[in-house]
Amino acid sequence: MATLEVVTYNKSDYIETQSGNKVSKKSVLCGSQNIVLLGKTIVQQDCVIRGDLANIRVGRQCVFKTGAVLRPPWKLLPNRTPALNFLPMMVGDGTIIEEGALVGAAAVGSYVHVGKRAIVGPCCMLKDCCKIEDDAVVPPNTVVPSFAIFGGSPAKLVGYLPECARDIHREYARKSYSMFQPEA
């Protein structure tokens, strides 16, 4: 993980909720009544969260960087109307989704890192404490195990995180929130 520097933002460009969420006014939250942010989550500008398709539940201290897209997973059900059904999406605590990433997973565990411009296909399961590398394309219905590093197109196992990765990632997520400060 990169070293963290203070990131300043214009306070008038963000809405801060009572639970400490910082949401950019330049982000798009479709169906906001179906989006639950549990607290201390940062949603930067140009992020899109598609709560109009299905419920999205996000844990504490998550960071969705510029241009990230969260879209609930979908399944094609033959002989049904409507044939395309969207499923709820869950994101665990301390998850970081980098710039330009598109995530359509059914479940994203806690302390997951999704790299820049990565694409996570529908109905994937990203278990706790795993990493998707930059520009990776995770095929639909893939299960990424805990402590695994997936990369490439199509994404496959390229390595493992150390056992201490959970603690490192937890601290990184906590510091990301505290280093995101309004301009003086």
Side-chain angles (χ1 to χ4, degrees):
M1 300 215 177
T3 58
L4 286 171
E5 296 179 9
V6 173
V7 176
T8 58
Y9 65 93
N10 186 339
K11 199 166 186 174
S12 65
D13 289 342
Y14 280 79
I15 297 169
E16 188 165 353
T17 67
Q18 209 168 10
S19 58
N21 297 311
K22 296 177 183 178
V23 181
S24 172
K25 292 179 181 176
K26 295 178 183 171
S27 63
V28 178
L29 275 64
C30 301
S32 58
Q33 70 275 11
N34 296 327
I35 300 169
V36 177
L37 305 176
L38 292 181
K40 294 189 175 182
T41 291
I42 299 169
V43 179
Q44 293 183 356
Q45 67 184 18
D46 300 326
C47 284
V48 178
I49 301 178
R50 296 295 308 269
D52 59 331
L53 302 173
N55 292 337
I56 297 177
R57 183 179 175 90
V58 177
R60 298 180 52 78
Q61 291 185 328
C62 294
V63 179
F64 305 125
K65 296 196 176 174
T66 304
V69 177
L70 268 75
R71 181 180 60 204
W74 53 270
K75 279 218 183 262
L76 197 55
L77 300 174
N79 303 324
R80 297 248 177 132
T81 305
L84 187 65
N85 284 350
F86 287 92
L87 307 170
M89 179 181 208
M90 310 244 320
V91 178
D93 296 339
T95 292
I96 296 175
I97 299 178
E98 296 285 351
E99 293 91 352
L102 186 141
V103 179
V108 178
S110 295
Y111 312 112
V112 172
H113 185 258
V114 178
K116 295 177 183 175
R117 300 171 305 281
I119 298 172
V120 179
C123 298
C124 289
M125 302 281 282
L126 306 182
K127 300 290 187 172
D128 290 348
C129 201
C130 66
K131 180 179 180 179
I132 307 299
E133 292 186 333
D134 294 350
D135 300 309
V137 179
V138 182
N141 303 311
T142 301
V143 176
V144 178
S146 295
F147 299 102
I149 301 172
F150 268 51
S153 177
K156 60 184 179 190
L157 181 67
V158 295
Y160 290 98
L161 296 169
E163 287 184 29
C164 64
R166 181 183 313 267
D167 297 327
I168 293 168
H169 200 95
R170 180 183 298 134
E171 187 64 19
Y172 185 84
R174 189 187 65 74
K175 282 186 178 176
S176 292
Y177 183 82
S178 64
M179 299 294 264
F180 193 72
Q181 300 172 354
E183 295 171 343

